[in-house]
């Protein structure tokens, strides 16, 4: 039995300790915005915030997050108004969109630690995969989000 | 159907408020109010709409325009582009437009009213464009006729605009919603003519995509996200040696595991069904399975490579022959030869394959993101034994397709499992299953020979190509048109030109990979054209101009490419610029790539793309498709390689099958040179082909090293060859 707070709501869950947080979110709580892409922490599609830090939920075990506060894409803002989401909208980033929850969550956490990143900082810190190849727009949107957050 | 549509109108208002009047001046180009798209974009099969004007268009009493569209939305923006085309003719207010998937079941029952529902070959706009225009124009004329009838005035006195029909002399108006039911009953004497491209006011606008608001907050529903009542979940492994079968399964090994419901043995695969996916997957991992693999269990990549290279010496079939190559080649003052090859590659769409199937005695429902709803329906009927008329495919958003979702293997599996357990089942493939059970791009090899006259003019080009057919049904007289695409249909004009094709398949299943045929052949051709330029002492752009002298449209693309891509501008040591150009899917795309090679490491720094695709439906759509295609092709060029050992694919996930990430992605600029005319060029695929030779040509410019195989990673880039 674990207790986690997801997007402000507490959940008591009877899951095996070795269940990846990704599947807890998707199948126990029904939050499907967090995506399965690889299951081995290699793509970032499953990125969520655990106690404010970006983590790849496919490789975070339920037993290790007992008591944690978790934010998923659904809880990043109530109405898609988080600066990162706004920047994504303005730059029209998503194509298939499947990687974008993870991209947005990774960026939101990254910009808290680096409010004014250079391209090199982005390359070094944002490693999420986008198979549709939206990197050009992603990069623009990261800079735009950073500007919105600084303002 | 639950519809939690986030209307763009609300969205933009809230966005402005929260921004506190900040930098949102940039905003989104396009109408302030835009149409909406449901998070579950499939229609309600059971509902009959009185306002159904034709199979494509339903207008509800509140003016909502439901546009039914049959091609997949897998990221390419077709759910915006096609409605945009229809709205041009319908003269409706974009704010009322709501696209949804056309029903594959209806397509079957009503004799293909939507045409083919397969989405491949950059076809979505190219082929459906005119059908959609016609549907829109027809609906508009019938709405006008309905209004004229009510007013008892000639239809010629009425006009449609912004979802209203007006009687011009009196200024009276009806909303479309008030007319739809009447319009549905009207039969026109003849179908109206379509607008000419110079009359377009809506096509060509940089509209925001309808699906973006759903894809920034997690609300868009992909197949993998859906839940149906009573559903259980399944994990699967198919025999890792293609063509192999299940020999034995030791079910006792997983007996009593929490949540595990059943082991389902298919002929060539084993599935574990459980209440949760993770439980199903871990049980499957622990399940001892023996496979019957046969002779294919000894196959490996080195052998494939040799077979395709050896095949170049076999007889083959002429796919094209201009002039007389055998007579011309001996006359050449200079001859160059080169052999190129590419390995097998996988698609790796971001969303692993999955499907939900619910098989009942007389009805099958499947929820799946597919590029081919028609085929999904046929496979589901076959796997269930239920009549095709009683099979319903609910197409969802797809997390990428790139050709992989054209062959819906997961649908047949999900249906078979649901049938076995008697419940709705959601089947999810792991990434490993996706990489190891692909329908891969073929291994291929080619041998080129070019002859030049004494003055350096290219007089003969001869090529022998070995590749696998992804669909034996396409083979006619020993040729599969797909394997020679990009060789046969090049625009280059030489007096003597020959393509000989040798088809060769192994036990590896093949399928269309973004820009099938072109994908490897443009790499071959555009690399060798580059070799020909250097061999005859010509600038690579200059030689292309020469061989394309008869094509002013190509020259225009090259003009802009030279200008924007800084062609000819000197680069520092260790850096180089490469070019490629080709026409495919009715679009001419030219590309330059700039690379830096440092200690044998390649970094693609900048890419410039110039495109002539005829009618531009939505410039942003063109740009993003070309950018995205380029990145997709760059992954293949830099890293793409599937190897087989003991009949099995060795790679399994993004650790062993790397793809482009931020750090590998070049700065990219796209320019469009529209030519007048009615051509609807496809843009989903050309980017993926052109980048491969543009990069290797740039590496040659930087280092003098000619790469004649892919991927680039792992190749020795020191010293010229
Ligand atoms: S699914 Fe977690 S990183 Fe890929
Ligand atoms: S938008 Fe499709 S994978 Fe990123």
């Amino acid at each position: 039995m674990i207790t986690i707070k997801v997007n402000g709501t507490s959940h008591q869950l009877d899951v095996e300790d070795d269940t990846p947080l990704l599947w807890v979110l998707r199948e126990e709580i029904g939050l499907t915005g967090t995506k399965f892409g690889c299951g081995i922490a290699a793509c970032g599609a499953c990125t969520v915030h655990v106690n404010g830090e970006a983590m790849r939920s496919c490789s975070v075990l339920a037993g290790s997050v007992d008591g944690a506060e978790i934010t998923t894409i659904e809880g990043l803002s109530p109405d898609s108004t988080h600066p990162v989401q706004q920047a994504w909208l303005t730059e029209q980033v998503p194509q298939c969109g499947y990687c974008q929850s993870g991209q947005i969550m990774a960026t939101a956490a990254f910009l808290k630690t680096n409010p004014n990143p250079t391209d090199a900082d982005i390359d070094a810190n944002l490693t999420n995969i986008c198979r549709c190849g939206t990197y050009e727009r992603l990069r623009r949107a990261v800079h735009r989000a950073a500007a919105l957050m600084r303002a | 159907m639950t519809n939690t549509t986030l209307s763009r109108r609300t969205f933009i208002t809230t966005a402005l408020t929260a921004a506190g009047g900040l930098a949102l001046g940039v905003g989104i180009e396009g109408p302030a109010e835009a149409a909406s798209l449901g998070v579950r974009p499939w229609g309600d099969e059971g509902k009959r709409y009185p306002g159904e004007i034709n199979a494509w268009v339903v207008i509800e009493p509140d003016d909502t325009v439901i546009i039914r569209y049959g091609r997949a939305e897998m990221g390419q923006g077709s759910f915006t582009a096609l409605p945009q085309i229809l709205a041009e003719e319908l003269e409706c207010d974009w704010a009322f437009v709501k696209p949804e998937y056309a029903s594959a079941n209806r397509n079957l029952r009503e004799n293909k009213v939507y045409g083919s529902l397969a989405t491949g070959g950059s076809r979505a706009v190219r082929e459906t464009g005119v059908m959609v225009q016609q549907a829109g124009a027809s609906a508009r004329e019938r709405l006008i006729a309905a209004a004229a009838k009510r007013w008892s005035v000639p239809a010629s006195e009425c006009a449609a605009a912004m979802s209203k029909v007006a009687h011009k002399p009196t200024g009276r108006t009806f909303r479309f919603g008030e007319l739809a039911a009447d319009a549905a009953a009207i039969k026109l004497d003849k179908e109206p003519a379509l607008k000419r491209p110079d009359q377009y006011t809506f096509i060509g606008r940089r509209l925001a995509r309808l699906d973006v608001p759903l894809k920034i907050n997690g609300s868009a529903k992909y197949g993998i996200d859906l839940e149906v009542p009573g559903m259980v979940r399944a994990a699967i492994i198919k025999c890792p040696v293609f063509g192999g079968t299940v020999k034995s399964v030791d079910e006792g090994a997983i007996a009593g595991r929490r949540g595990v419901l059943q082991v389902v043995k298919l002929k060539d695969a084993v599935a574990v069904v459980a209440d949760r996916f993770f439980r199903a997957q871990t049980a499957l991992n622990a399940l001892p399975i023996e496979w019957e693999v046969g002779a294919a269990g000894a196959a490996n990549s080195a052998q494939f490579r040799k077979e395709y290279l050896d095949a170049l010496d076999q007889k083959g079939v002429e796919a094209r022959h201009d002039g007389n190559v055998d007579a011309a080649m001996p006359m050449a003052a200079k001859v160059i030869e080169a052999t190129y090859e590419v390995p097998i590659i996988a698609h790796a769409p971001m969303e692993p394959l999955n499907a939900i199937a619910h098989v009942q005695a007389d009805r099958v429902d499947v929820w799946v993101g597919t590029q081919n709803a028609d085929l999904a329906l046929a496979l589901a009927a076959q796997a269930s034994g239920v009549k095709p008329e009683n099979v319903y495919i609910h197409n969802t958003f797809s997390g990428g397709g790139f050709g992989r979702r054209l062959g819906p293997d997961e649908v047949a599996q999900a249906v078979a499992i649901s049938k076995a357990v008697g419940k709705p089942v959601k089947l999810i493939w792991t990434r490993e299953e996706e990489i190891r059970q692909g329908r891969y791009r073929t291994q291929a090899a080619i041998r080129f020979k070019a002859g030049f006259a004494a003055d350096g003019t290219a007089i003969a080009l001869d090529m022998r190509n070995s590749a696998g057919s992804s669909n034996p049904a396409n083979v006619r007289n020993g040729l599969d048109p797909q394997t020679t695409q990009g060789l046969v249909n090049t625009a280059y004009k030489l007096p003597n030109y020959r393509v000989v094709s040798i088809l060769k398949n192994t036990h590896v299943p093949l399928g269309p990979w973004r820009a099938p045929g072109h994908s490897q052949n443009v790499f071959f051709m555009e690399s060798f054209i580059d070799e020909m330029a250097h061999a005859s002492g010509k600038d690579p752009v200059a030689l292309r101009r020469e061989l394309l002298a008869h094509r002013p449209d190509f020259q225009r693309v090259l003009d802009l490419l030279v200008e924007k891509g800084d062609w000819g501008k000197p680069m520092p040591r260790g850096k180089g610029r490469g070019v490629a150009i080709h026409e495919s899917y009715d679009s001419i795309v030219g590309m330059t790539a700039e690379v830096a090679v440092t200690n044998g490491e390649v970094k693609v720094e900048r890419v410039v793309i110039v495109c002539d695709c005829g009618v531009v439906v939505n410039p942003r759509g063109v740009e993003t498709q070309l950018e995205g295609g380029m990145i997709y092709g760059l992954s293949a060029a830099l890293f793409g390689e599937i190897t087989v050992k003991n009949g099995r694919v060795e790679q399994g996930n993004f650790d062993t099958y790397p793809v482009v990430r931020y750090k590998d992605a070049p700065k990219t600029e796209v320019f469009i040179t529209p030519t007048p005319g009615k051509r609807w060029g496809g843009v989903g695929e050309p980017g993926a082909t052109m980048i491969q030779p543009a990069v290797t040509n740039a590496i040659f410019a930087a280092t003098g090293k000619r790469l004649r195989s892919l991927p680039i990673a792992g190749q020795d880039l020191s010293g010229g060859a």
Side-chain angles (χ1 to χ4, degrees):
Chain A
M1 202 63 104
I2 60 158
T3 305
I4 52 176
K5 201 179 217 183
V6 181
N7 303 333
T9 307
S10 257
H11 298 266
Q12 268 220 330
L13 303 162
D14 171 20
V15 294
E16 297 87 321
D17 279 354
D18 65 348
T19 309
L21 175 60
L22 168 66
W23 296 107
V24 174
L25 294 169
R26 290 180 57 84
E27 296 193 341
E28 304 294 333
I29 305 180
L31 291 170
T32 56
T34 304
K35 302 303 188 201
F36 166 57
C38 69
I40 60 161
C43 76
C46 63
T47 307
V48 298
H49 299 169
V50 178
N51 297 327
E53 212 185 303
M55 299 194 83
R56 296 186 169 175
S57 64
C58 68
S59 304
V60 173
L61 301 188
S64 74
V65 287
D66 194 11
E69 290 211 24
I70 291 151
T71 307
T72 70
I73 184 72
E74 291 92 344
L76 187 62
S77 70
D79 46 9
S80 301
T81 51
H82 187 282
V84 175
Q85 289 169 306
Q86 281 184 47
W88 254 239
L89 181 66
T90 306
E91 296 293 348
Q92 293 276 293
V93 176
Q95 288 193 22
C96 85
Y98 194 80
C99 73
Q100 299 295 345
S101 300
Q103 301 280 6
I104 289 169
M105 297 307 283
T107 304
F110 169 56
L111 292 178
K112 275 194 281 179
T113 63
N114 187 341
N116 194 8
T118 62
D119 281 343
D121 296 339
I122 292 176
D123 287 350
N125 289 281
L126 292 176
T127 56
N128 289 30
I129 290 172
C130 174
R131 284 297 277 155
C132 296
T134 60
Y135 297 108
E136 179 72 24
R137 270 147 226 270
L138 275 168
R139 190 182 294 280
R140 270 188 245 154
V142 173
H143 287 301
R144 175 179 295 277
L148 284 171
M149 286 168 79
R150 286 196 307 272
Chain B
M1 167 174 138
T2 9
N3 194 338
T4 50
T5 304
L6 175 63
S7 110
R8 281 288 314 286
R9 187 213 290 256
T10 4
F11 190 82
I12 284 175
T13 320
T14 48
L16 279 168
T17 324
L22 209 82
L24 264 175
V26 186
I28 315 229
E29 298 159 79
E33 298 176 51
S36 61
L37 179 57
V39 297
R40 298 160 188 267
W42 59 91
D44 179 347
E45 301 266 1
K47 190 165 160 195
R48 280 288 148 241
Y49 295 85
E52 176 172 311
I53 301 188
N54 55 44
W56 297 77
V57 184
V58 176
I59 299 179
E60 306 249 57
D62 67 354
D63 287 346
T64 300
V65 181
I66 298 174
I67 295 181
R68 299 200 182 114
Y69 159 67
R71 311 275 187 172
E73 175 56 90
M74 48 187 172
Q76 80 284 42
S78 56
F79 249 180
T80 305
L82 267 294
Q84 191 173 348
I85 295 170
L86 193 138
E88 173 78 61
E89 289 289 349
L90 183 57
E91 300 288 358
C92 63
D93 183 341
W94 187 241
F96 296 137
V97 166
K98 186 167 174 272
E100 67 178 34
Y101 277 118
S103 158
N105 181 278
R106 182 168 181 181
N107 205 36
L108 174 88
R109 287 173 188 249
E110 296 182 19
N111 198 20
K112 299 259 171 213
V113 326
Y114 300 107
S116 163
L117 300 185
T119 312
S122 289
R123 267 196 300 249
V125 166
R126 273 192 320 137
E127 282 181 10
T128 329
V130 175
M131 286 175 93
V132 166
Q133 282 181 298
Q134 200 68 60
S138 174
R140 179 198 65 227
E141 285 308 303
R142 289 157 70 186
L143 289 159
I144 290 175
K149 207 165 146 194
R150 282 213 210 160
W151 288 317
S152 303
V153 300
S156 57
E157 289 179 4
C158 305
M162 289 299 277
S163 286
K164 288 197 181 87
V165 177
H167 181 229
K168 287 180 283 185
T170 60
R172 287 176 290 180
T173 59
F174 278 121
R175 292 182 298 105
F176 279 7
E178 298 173 293
L179 299 168
D182 286 1
I186 282 177
K187 251 182 101 66
L188 297 175
D189 301 336
K190 62 173 179 27
E191 286 299 320
L194 301 180
K195 288 185 184 178
R196 293 188 314 271
D198 61 342
Q199 295 172 309
Y200 294 158
T201 57
F202 204 61
I203 289 176
R205 288 173 72 172
R206 190 174 271 273
L207 293 186
R209 281 174 63 146
L210 301 181
D211 54 349
V212 164
L214 314 176
K215 291 177 172 177
I216 57 170
N217 62 15
S219 66
K221 294 291 179 202
Y222 301 81
I224 203 169
D225 299 332
L226 299 172
E227 232 6 73
V228 304
M231 183 182 94
V232 292
R233 297 166 162 93
I236 197 162
I237 183 165
K238 189 170 165 181
C239 180
V241 176
F242 309 113
T245 53
V246 179
K247 190 168 168 189
S248 70
V249 180
D250 177 10
E251 292 185 39
I254 59 163
R257 280 188 170 237
R258 183 176 176 189
V260 172
L261 301 167
Q262 196 172 328
V263 174
V264 177
K265 277 176 281 188
L266 304 176
K267 187 169 159 280
D268 57 1
V270 178
V272 173
V273 181
D275 61 344
R276 297 289 186 271
F277 175 70
F278 181 68
R279 289 180 188 139
Q281 186 62 51
T282 40
L284 181 64
N285 293 345
L287 186 64
I289 305 170
E290 271 192 277
W291 305 101
E292 196 69 70
V293 300
N300 65 68
S301 289
Q303 164 206 334
F304 294 155
R305 246 193 94 190
K306 183 170 180 315
E307 284 176 20
Y308 280 84
L309 287 170
D310 288 351
L312 297 178
D313 295 321
Q314 291 162 15
K315 187 159 171 298
V317 178
E318 270 186 11
R320 174 173 164 187
H321 194 171
D322 304 345
N324 185 337
V325 168
D326 291 325
M329 207 61 90
M331 317 291 285
K334 178 176 184 177
V335 172
I336 61 165
E337 268 187 81
T339 301
Y340 283 77
E341 56 184 325
V342 292
I344 302 162
I345 51 177
H347 295 83
M350 206 68 226
E351 178 192 12
L353 299 190
N354 61 81
I356 299 174
H358 186 196
V359 178
Q360 301 172 79
D362 53 356
R363 179 184 169 114
V364 176
D365 286 90
V366 177
W367 292 262
V368 64
T370 180
Q371 288 179 252
N372 195 344
D374 293 331
L375 181 60
L377 190 152
L379 290 180
Q382 202 179 53
S384 62
V386 170
K387 286 211 297 277
E389 295 75 32
N390 296 339
V391 177
Y392 295 85
I393 305 294
H394 312 283
N395 206 350
T396 67
F397 288 113
S398 285
F402 316 121
R404 184 60 188 93
R405 286 189 156 85
L406 277 168
D409 299 312
E410 72 282 21
V411 169
Q413 290 177 341
V415 166
I417 299 166
S418 170
K419 194 176 174 181
V421 302
K423 290 191 173 104
V425 172
K426 183 199 282 188
L427 171 68
I428 302 176
W429 285 23
T430 56
R431 173 62 57 195
E432 287 77 8
E433 191 70 1
E434 190 276 323
I435 296 282
R436 293 176 182 153
Q437 297 296 344
R439 287 170 173 254
Y440 305 90
R441 184 180 82 180
T442 179
Q443 174 107 23
I446 191 165
R447 187 179 302 138
F448 287 103
K449 206 177 204 186
F452 304 88
D455 66 353
T457 309
I459 54 164
L461 181 56
D462 194 14
M463 57 209 102
R464 303 178 64 77
N465 171 236
S466 64
S469 168
S470 65
N471 185 357
N474 290 343
V475 178
R476 296 266 180 286
N477 306 321
L479 290 173
D480 176 346
Q482 202 167 68
T483 66
T484 54
Q485 274 175 353
L487 302 174
V488 161
N489 58 332
T490 160
Y492 294 126
K493 206 169 186 176
L494 288 94
N496 303 287
Y497 187 100
R498 180 166 66 184
V499 181
V500 173
S501 160
I502 301 114
L503 288 182
K504 161 127 209 72
N505 280 69
T506 65
H507 80 304
V508 177
L510 305 178
W513 191 95
R514 200 170 188 166
H518 296 100
S519 165
Q520 69 271 14
N521 290 336
V522 172
F523 163 64
F524 295 153
M525 179 63 97
E526 284 300 291
S527 298
F528 192 67
I529 291 284
D530 227 61
E531 291 206 51
M532 288 170 63
H534 293 288
S536 55
K538 286 176 182 155
D539 170 81
V541 167
L543 176 66
R544 286 173 171 86
R545 283 196 188 279
E546 208 178 294
L547 298 175
L548 296 164
H550 57 295
R551 291 291 298 267
D553 46 359
F554 269 88
Q555 302 291 338
R556 276 194 297 272
V557 170
L558 283 168
D559 289 344
L560 193 61
L561 191 59
V562 163
E563 179 199 328
K564 301 294 184 184
D566 298 319
W567 188 256
K569 204 164 144 190
M571 295 192 79
R573 238 183 108 79
K575 295 197 179 195
R577 192 181 284 117
V579 66
I581 189 166
H582 180 61
E583 182 179 33
S584 56
Y585 310 100
D586 296 328
S587 292
I588 302 169
V589 174
M591 197 181 281
T592 57
E594 294 176 9
V595 306
V597 182
T598 328
N599 305 325
E601 290 286 316
V602 177
K603 163 88 180 130
V604 183
E605 297 187 322
R606 177 178 178 232
V607 167
V608 175
I609 307 172
V610 176
C611 166
D612 171 2
C613 58
V615 178
V616 175
V617 178
N618 185 332
R620 188 180 1 239
V622 173
E623 291 159 14
T624 53
Q625 278 306 288
L626 289 167
E627 288 166 11
M630 181 278 289
I631 295 288
Y632 197 72
L634 184 59
S635 286
L638 292 175
F639 315 114
E641 182 169 28
I642 289 291
T643 54
V644 172
K645 192 176 171 186
N646 298 332
R648 297 159 159 82
V649 167
E650 294 187 282
Q651 294 68 26
N653 210 316
F654 293 120
D655 51 349
T656 47
Y657 190 71
V659 296
V660 166
R661 298 175 192 258
Y662 269 102
K663 66 175 173 38
D664 313 300
K667 188 172 153 5
T668 311
E669 297 149 61
V670 178
F671 302 91
I672 305 174
T673 64
T675 47
K678 286 206 297 200
R679 210 156 42 82
W680 299 83
V683 291
E685 321 212 43
T689 65
M690 233 62 64
I691 186 67
Q692 305 175 54
V695 167
T696 49
N697 290 342
I699 291 172
F700 179 79
T703 66
K705 175 95 180 181
R706 176 64 63 187
L707 298 188
R708 297 194 181 92
S709 67
L710 295 176
I712 295 162
Q715 297 202 47
D716 176 11
L717 298 181
S718 58

